[in-house]
Amino acid sequence: MSLRTQIQEAFSGHNPRLQALELLKYIGPGFLVTVGFIDPGNWASNVAAGSLYGYRLLWMVTLSTLMLIVLQHNAAHLGIVTGLCISEAATKFMRPWFARLVLGSAVAACISTALAEIMGAAIGLNLLFKLPLRIGAILVSAAVIWLLLSNGYRRIEKLIIAFVSLIGLSFLYELSLVHIPWAEVATGWVTPAIPLGSIPVIMSVLGAVVMPHNLFLHSEIIQSRQLNQKGADVIEKQLRFEFVDTLNSMVIGWAINSSMIILAAATFFASRTAVTELGQAQAMLRPMLGRAAAIVFGGALLMAGLSSSVTAGMAGGSIVAGMSGEPYDPSDNHTKLGIMITLLGALLFTLVITNPFKGLIFSQIALSIQLPWTIVLQILLTSNPRVMGKHVNTVLDRVFLWTTTVVVSGLNVLLLVDTLRNLLR
């Protein structure tokens, strides 16, 4: 079934099975993915984009989200049909050297992700309670490890949904305090622009929205319902409902990411103030928008860091377990090893970084560089009839997926050229 057909069927008024109460059973996995692209790394990238370039880089959030919908749906498609996550499927169906190379780099991407998320939560604690960053990072890491090893998936899912809701409400409150030129915003959403010197920020926005670990995570958590074991009809229904969940969650993430850039543009760019750290952003919001806005900013940042650190740890555990041919299971040693490598590796880097804001941005650039490898692996798996059977990618699916790969790879080349040019100056 093609992506276009699934969109038509999912939203068709003639499909009596798509009832609101039934759809609620399928809501959840998409929100865990959503929190992954509203993490503190996004905050740093979006604040930089808005404060430096106003509304001109909003188009990158739109493009990234469109690519994300295609990729996340495809990853979930794999999990639903095969009962395997990307890591398990790669280990089973790909050449061992290729699978280990890509999966190893994906673990490194998870560490980079968790680095941004733990650091962001620590910054949130510092903004709210003046707690030193290193102590905050240790406390956040310990709390996340405890959550992952002691709580079931469904409890974490509910916690994440609550956090995403609170983060969204926080930004609605922040936006209500500033004047927004909506015509300029609308133009920014749909008009590509690459201002001079903006390539690193554009790449960090891309890396902050389309994240490798989220593809692995979605293919894993979509199996929590275990509907692939209940027959072909249930799989077909799950494929349709999953797309609605994914689309709804990604649109919410698009709105929150856009809100970050809009808020930064309306406050910092409007006053010609370049923001170089998240603490500075909160301090500047206080006189502009009031004490309550600054507190909401710090609280939302803390929630984003905590919840996204959980999903990064889950992704790391899923990848390492999959490399051993096993599903994600917090009671299993391979999953525990993946969780610990991801979170403790990130904590180690957090403790030695001297500029947290730059560290957040460069972590997102690192993700965007690894991303094409994960996308290629995913396309090879979902385009393989041995893996997907009759649910293999259609020609249209492959066009969408390979086009996304070309766009991501092209932006990576631009980043490399821009970086080399700066080094040679």
Side-chain angles (χ1 to χ4, degrees):
M1 184 184 298
S2 71
L3 181 60
R4 181 173 61 185
T5 302
Q6 292 180 58
I7 295 173
Q8 292 171 344
E9 290 194 10
F11 290 98
S12 171
H14 300 290
N15 186 351
R17 293 180 295 177
L18 192 60
Q19 302 295 326
L21 290 178
E22 187 174 10
L23 178 60
L24 289 176
K25 296 188 300 183
Y26 297 84
I27 297 297
F31 278 93
L32 266 74
V33 174
T34 297
V35 82
F37 74 102
I38 56 173
D39 71 344
N42 295 60
W43 290 54
S45 299
N46 292 330
V47 168
S51 67
L52 293 173
Y53 304 105
Y55 307 101
R56 298 181 67 189
L57 297 186
L58 279 169
W59 68 274
M60 196 62 215
V61 178
T62 302
L63 176 62
S64 298
T65 303
L66 290 173
M67 292 192 295
L68 185 66
I69 291 169
V70 173
L71 292 171
Q72 294 294 162
H73 174 65
N74 189 247
H77 194 121
L78 172 70
I80 293 168
V81 171
T82 67
L84 302 171
C85 70
I86 293 175
S87 182
E88 291 175 277
T91 300
K92 181 175 181 180
F93 293 103
M94 306 301 293
R95 293 183 181 275
W97 68 267
F98 178 72
R100 292 195 174 275
L101 177 64
V102 178
L103 295 177
S105 69
V107 172
C110 288
I111 294 173
S112 181
T113 302
L115 161 66
E117 294 160 348
I118 290 171
M119 189 181 300
I123 292 172
L125 286 173
N126 176 262
L127 297 178
L128 293 171
F129 308 111
K130 306 303 179 185
L131 200 65
L133 288 179
R134 287 180 172 83
I135 294 177
I138 293 171
L139 292 177
V140 169
S141 300
V144 171
I145 290 172
W146 175 79
L147 273 172
L148 285 171
L149 298 183
S150 64
N151 283 284
Y153 162 78
R154 297 310 293 271
R155 289 182 63 186
I156 291 176
E157 184 180 273
K158 292 175 182 177
L159 177 69
I160 298 297
I161 292 174
F163 277 177
V164 170
S165 302
L166 288 172
I167 293 167
L169 291 173
S170 298
F171 275 98
L172 283 177
Y173 171 74
E174 300 272 8
L175 288 178
S176 72
L177 302 177
V178 295
H179 170 71
I180 308 297
W182 288 109
E184 192 174 348
V185 169
T187 301
W189 272 324
V190 298
T191 307
I194 304 179
L196 184 65
S198 65
I199 289 296
V201 178
I202 287 175
M203 285 303 299
S204 69
V205 172
L206 172 66
V209 174
V210 188
M211 307 174 79
H213 82 288
N214 267 345
L215 299 173
F216 288 94
L217 180 66
H218 207 169
S219 66
E220 176 65 54
I221 60 178
I222 199 69
Q223 302 169 44
S224 64
R225 275 76 171 164
Q226 296 183 330
L227 297 174
N228 65 294
Q229 301 176 11
K230 299 181 180 180
D233 290 342
V234 176
I235 288 177
E236 293 289 348
K237 183 186 294 187
Q238 168 75 342
L239 289 172
R240 288 196 301 274
F241 286 2
E242 171 276 321
F243 180 75
V244 176
D245 176 40
T246 297
L247 182 62
N248 177 60
S249 302
M250 300 305 103
V251 169
I252 290 172
W254 168 83
I256 293 176
N257 274 287
S258 295
S259 298
M260 295 179 192
I261 294 181
I262 293 169
L263 181 64
T267 52
F268 307 127
F269 182 76
S271 61
R272 297 295 185 267
T273 303
V275 177
T276 57
E277 57 181 82
L278 290 174
Q280 178 190 6
Q282 194 223 34
M284 289 178 176
L285 282 175
R286 192 182 302 271
M288 291 179 178
L289 305 180
R291 176 178 173 81
I295 292 175
V296 168
F297 181 90
L301 179 60
L302 174 60
M303 287 186 290
L306 279 171
S307 53
S308 55
S309 296
V310 169
T311 61
M314 291 177 69
S318 171
I319 294 170
V320 173
M323 292 173 74
S324 301
E326 300 172 353
Y328 177 88
D329 179 1
S331 64
D332 179 76
N333 287 334
H334 291 109
T335 299
K336 289 179 180 177
L337 177 63
I339 291 172
M340 300 303 284
I341 287 174
T342 300
L343 296 174
L344 294 183
L347 176 61
L348 179 63
F349 282 110
T350 302
L351 296 178
V352 301
I353 284 177
T354 56
N355 188 321
F357 188 78
K358 285 187 177 179
L360 290 175
I361 291 180
F362 281 115
S363 72
Q364 304 310 301
I365 293 174
L367 293 182
S368 67
I369 291 173
Q370 196 281 334
L371 181 61
W373 297 95
T374 294
I375 296 176
V376 168
L377 172 63
Q378 178 176 308
I379 296 173
L380 292 176
L381 289 169
T382 55
S383 298
N384 187 339
R386 284 200 309 130
V387 180
M388 301 296 291
K390 69 176 184 177
H391 297 284
V392 68
N393 289 334
T394 65
V395 173
L396 183 60
D397 292 335
R398 291 197 293 272
V399 168
F400 279 134
L401 290 164
W402 284 114
T403 299
T404 299
T405 305
V406 170
V407 171
V408 172
S409 300
L411 287 170
N412 275 292
V413 171
L414 285 177
L415 175 64
L416 178 61
V417 171
D418 186 78
T419 303
L420 291 176
R421 184 185 297 121
N422 290 331
L423 290 174
L424 295 174
R425 283 177 181 173

